[in-house]
Amino acid sequence: LNPIVRTWFKNKFSSFSDPQRFAIPPIHNKENVLVSAVTGSGKTLTAFLVILNELITLSEKKQLEDKVYAVYVSPLKALGADIHVNLILPLKEMEHQEKKEFGIRVALRTGDTSPSERQKMLKHPPHILVTTSESLAIMLISPKFSELLKNVDYFIMDELHSFAENKRGTHLSLSIERLQNISQKMVRIGLSATAEPIEELAEFLVGSKRNCKIIKTELTKKLDATVISPVEDLIEVTERKLHHNLYTLLDQLIEQHKTTLIFTNTRAGTERVVHHLKQSFPKKYIENIAAHHGSLSKSHRLEVEQKLRDGKLKAVVCSTSLELGLDIGYIDLVVLLGSPKSIARASQRIGRSGHRLHDTIKGRFIVLDRDDLIESSVLL
């Protein structure tokens, strides 16, 4: 590593995590890489460390060009905003360490980006572009912006598994090939916490005729997960009793932990849970609980995420919007209200807790009917 990056890393972390130890050398050697590792193991920094290393070296040599060197694609607008924050902070820390500016630009381009900000990008292109799959497709057919995407060195696909399972992934595959067509030497980097079957996902990342190095590190974190029911009998129970016991149980779990994240599977369910908790326990849940889902405004979502990072919220209820990779501060319990319908999604969600490298992942599956009981038990 460049001495500047090396010094910053040593001051910030005690040592490389396993994904970093195995993935940084091949990325540095311009090999396509798929990194599959548990949530909170430093996957994102793995991808960006080599890129920051190279850009700082170019800046030191006064060889930094006005072009896009790296494109980072995430499945969520919120995740893109989070990476934007997490990229700028290390850069600021390195600049503070060296007492000078490197002139490395990072920009976020999503559906939320204003026309004036897009115009600024054309005049001063970002060296690292953080975007979504849909925005990338639009940029590639824009005559002006596509010029900035010629000769991109690195392409990063975060939460690769969430693209691989649907039409968005098919569309993104086409966009990557178009990008590769104008950036012949581009390196592809895939990141995922739940990459199975891993060989097929590597092929999804690079195509069938290119090589891809697979870095897979096994789960080294402790897991504390159980399936619980708010009532002893799910058959002979009234709706009223089930409702009352559910919110009493949720209150107990929230009280026993510093910060709790509750997944509901639907936006309507998210609003309903927040409403009932506030209604059932008005003295406890007024300012310290919040809802988070895709229908809320950008400013509200960012405010909730920042309050989470600052430790100002006791509980956050969300649909699916916080299940992917967001750095949302310390969460010590994740509650899954109803079955998440897949093992990958379950592990992704409960992985939001204990996000630091050696913390315990703690999750509670709360079941409200027999179907949920069977499904969640099998998932666990």
Side-chain angles (χ1 to χ4, degrees), residues 273-292:
V273 170
V274 172
H275 171 73
H276 285 310
L277 279 170
K278 285 183 174 181
Q279 197 175 49
S280 304
F281 309 96
K283 291 181 180 177
K284 291 184 183 178
Y285 306 110
I286 297 298
E287 298 295 329
N288 60 357
I289 188 170
H292 189 290

Side-chain angles (χ1 to χ4, degrees), residues 95 99 163 191 266 269 279 317 322 325 359:
E95 286 178 342
K99 295 182 172 53
F163 285 115
L191 308 173
T266 65
Q279 197 175 49
V317 188
L322 291 177
D359 288 349

Side-chain angles (χ1 to χ4, degrees), residues 73-78 131-137 157-176 204 324:
V73 169
S74 80
L76 293 174
K77 286 190 284 187
T131 187
T132 59
S133 55
E134 290 81 7
S135 291
L136 176 62
M157 190 193 303
D158 204 353
E159 307 296 350
L160 176 129
H161 61 278
S162 69
F163 285 115
E165 63 187 11
N166 53 41
K167 287 186 286 186
R168 286 183 82 195
T170 309
H171 194 228
L172 179 57
S173 290
L174 291 169
S175 293
I176 302 170
F204 166 71
L324 295 173

Side-chain angles (χ1 to χ4, degrees), residues 127-143:
H127 300 115
I128 301 175
L129 177 64
V130 179
T131 187
T132 59
S133 55
E134 290 81 7
S135 291
L136 176 62
I138 291 166
M139 286 185 279
L140 283 165
I141 58 168
S142 162

Side-chain angles (χ1 to χ4, degrees), residues 50-265:
V50 174
I51 296 165
L52 289 173
N53 188 65
E54 187 166 313
L55 292 176
I56 285 171
T57 301
L58 288 171
S59 175
E60 290 283 278
K61 293 177 179 177
K62 305 283 190 283
Q63 293 174 358
L64 204 58
E65 297 175 40
D66 266 354
K67 70 160 203 166
V68 178
Y69 285 87
V71 175
Y72 168 95
V73 169
S74 80
L76 293 174
K77 286 190 284 187
L79 182 56
D82 186 68
I83 293 297
H84 189 227
V85 170
N86 287 345
L87 255 176
I88 288 173
L89 186 63
L91 274 172
K92 293 284 183 195
E93 288 172 346
M94 286 184 224
E95 286 178 342
H96 179 73
Q97 169 192 302
E98 298 299 313
K99 295 182 172 53
K100 63 178 177 182
E101 291 186 2
F102 300 120
I104 296 168
R105 297 187 292 271
V106 181
L108 178 64
R109 168 75 186 261
T110 69
D112 290 335
T113 307
S114 68
S116 61
E117 288 173 320
R118 292 175 196 177
Q119 285 300 314
K120 281 181 194 172
M121 286 183 208
L122 288 172
K123 291 177 185 173
H124 303 287
H127 300 115
I128 301 175
L129 177 64
V130 179
T131 187
T132 59
S133 55
E134 290 81 7
S135 291
L136 176 62
I138 291 166
M139 286 185 279
L140 283 165
I141 58 168
S142 162
K144 289 182 180 177
F145 213 101
S146 61
E147 282 296 312
L148 304 178
L149 295 173
K150 284 183 176 176
N151 303 315
V152 167
D153 294 327
Y154 301 95
F155 175 84
I156 304 168
M157 190 193 303
D158 204 353
E159 307 296 350
L160 176 129
H161 61 278
S162 69
F163 285 115
E165 63 187 11
N166 53 41
K167 287 186 286 186
R168 286 183 82 195
T170 309
H171 194 228
L172 179 57
S173 290
L174 291 169
S175 293
I176 302 170
E177 288 301 331
R178 296 183 75 171
L179 184 58
Q180 188 93 51
N181 192 46
I182 55 174
S183 305
Q184 294 287 328
K185 295 178 181 179
M186 185 179 77
V187 175
R188 304 187 190 195
I189 305 161
L191 308 173
S192 177
T194 48
E196 292 295 343
I198 198 158
E199 286 80 10
E200 285 185 34
L201 285 169
E203 193 172 308
F204 166 71
L205 173 66
V206 302
S208 58
K209 295 178 182 177
R210 298 185 187 93
N211 294 325
C212 180
K213 185 159 278 188
I214 295 171
I215 312 290
K216 185 179 181 183
T217 59
E218 296 302 324
L219 178 71
T220 54
K221 299 176 88 171
K222 292 177 183 175
L223 179 66
D224 171 10
T226 44
V227 175
I228 50 179
S229 167
V231 292
E232 289 184 9
D233 187 340
L234 282 168
I235 305 165
E236 303 295 329
V237 65
T238 63
E239 190 68 33
R240 187 172 180 179
K241 185 181 180 182
L242 186 64
H243 179 274
H244 176 267
N245 284 23
L246 167 63
Y247 287 97
T248 302
L249 175 60
L250 284 174
D251 175 55
Q252 288 170 357
L253 290 170
I254 292 167
E255 281 294 297
Q256 290 163 8
H257 297 87
K258 183 174 178 282
T259 311
T260 303
L261 182 59
I262 302 169
F263 285 97
T264 64
N265 292 330

